[in-house]
Amino acid sequence: MADETGAVADTEAAAGEGTADGTGAAAYPEGVPCWVDVQLPDVEAGKRFYGELFGWTFKVAPGDGAHELWAYSSGATTTPEATGSPKAAGSPGDPAASAPVAALAPKPDGRLPTVWTLHFATPDAAALTARITAAGGRVITPPTRIGTLGTAVLATDPEGAVFGLWQAGTHHGFGRRHEPGTFTWAELYTRDTKAANAFYAHLFHDALFGPGAVPDVGRAALTDVFPEVMPPHFLVHFGTADCEAALGTVSRLGGRVQVPLFDTSYGHVAVVTDNQGASFALLERSDGNGWQEVSREADPAEQRPDDLRQRGDDEGEDAR
């Protein structure tokens, strides 16, 4: 995999950590990954797989009639001091400390792919949708109200990589992140890295290059890890304290190791599929600071602009 090639604003003070039902926190800034979900043929099998792998518990999503489940993490494998996140109510492992981290949904059509989808926050889904189409992307599902929870959009970039948008209502997204068993990174695998730089820098310029931005999303050439026939896509990464042990659990639960453990600039990574074929990555941080995000000013030697920053600023300005 290439070095990290994107950065998204990720200050916990700006975004906030949600309460147990995903409410009561400030919405994430535009362009910040705020939610992930997976469509599965068998949600009950998904509960067993992810429940054992990550220690998730599950509840039916608020107001949901299609039996979408929200996954909750209690943060039992980490501490607030390690994550830099505000302390949740209750002690680690206490149900009162649980917060939403992902959703499992039944596939409405068996022909649809079994995939994890990354969602970016936005305060105005309609306006951002218009910017996506103007920049060469495509809208799959236009802005759709999901009760009082918020407004969802599904779109693709010009190369066809699928991603979602989320305009928060009562649900602001992740209640926990950047911990073992929660979202901690996403990598865009693309054939045309220069075009991807320009597209996402134009859409999410403030989140990618604004003050306080820290790595949350990267970009790499598709063939760095996957064969040429693989379509461009976002790969969701979930944190783990021990990647090798987690790989053993994946195999025991009926999943498959798609790409064996390899090193990146942001940690040790392996790509796997669950027991129904949905791909995701396991990430064990290697920055020497546990799960604390590294300050951009902490080590000048590590502060050199990455490829997306170098090209994205110029190309983002050109696109405007």
Side-chain angles (χ1 to χ4, degrees), residues 44-274:
E44 287 300 315
K47 284 174 60 178
R48 293 189 293 271
F49 181 91
Y50 291 103
E52 185 162 350
L53 179 61
F54 295 136
W56 290 349
T57 57
F58 301 90
K59 298 178 185 176
V60 174
D64 180 71
H67 306 297
E68 175 177 297
L69 299 178
W70 279 7
Y72 290 76
S73 173
S74 67
T77 55
T78 188
T79 64
E81 291 74 21
T83 64
S85 302
K87 194 168 185 176
S91 59
D94 187 329
S98 294
V101 295
L104 277 57
K107 289 205 300 186
D109 186 330
R111 294 170 295 182
L112 294 173
T114 303
V115 294
W116 278 97
T117 301
L118 177 70
H119 301 263
F120 293 97
T122 178
D124 189 335
L128 185 51
T129 299
R131 283 156 50 200
I132 287 170
T133 56
R138 183 172 66 90
V139 175
I140 300 173
T141 304
T144 303
R145 263 314 273 279
I146 313 297
T148 61
L149 296 176
T151 300
V153 176
L154 197 63
T156 78
D157 66 18
E159 280 203 286
V162 176
F163 61 93
L165 306 177
W166 182 251
Q167 179 181 330
T170 58
H171 176 52
H172 295 135
F174 299 127
R176 289 184 179 275
R177 57 181 177 169
H178 298 162
E179 304 176 6
T182 70
F183 168 84
T184 191
W185 185 264
E187 191 82 359
L188 170 64
Y189 286 97
T190 179
R191 290 192 180 89
D192 190 338
T193 54
K194 186 175 181 180
N197 291 345
F199 179 80
Y200 291 99
H202 173 61
L203 288 185
F204 304 134
H205 190 274
D206 289 345
L208 288 166
F209 311 115
V214 297
D216 220 9
V217 172
R219 189 273 299 137
L222 188 64
T223 52
D224 284 354
V225 171
F226 297 99
E228 183 70 29
V229 293
M230 177 74 73
H233 63 284
F234 281 96
L235 182 67
V236 173
H237 292 48
F238 293 107
T240 178
D242 187 334
C243 206
E244 289 190 357
L247 289 176
T249 303
V250 166
S251 297
R252 179 173 56 80
L253 295 173
R256 181 172 62 87
V257 178
Q258 190 173 2
V259 180
L261 193 63
F262 60 98
D263 291 330
T264 72
S265 59
Y266 49 88
H268 311 301
V269 175
V271 183
V272 302
T273 62
D274 65 18

Side-chain angles (χ1 to χ4, degrees), residues 294-314:
V294 179
S295 168
R296 284 281 171 183
E297 300 175 356
D299 183 355
E302 295 298 323
Q303 305 310 310
R304 62 185 183 278
D306 58 36
D307 189 56
L308 181 54
R309 284 175 176 268
Q310 287 175 315
R311 298 182 181 180
D313 278 324
D314 293 339

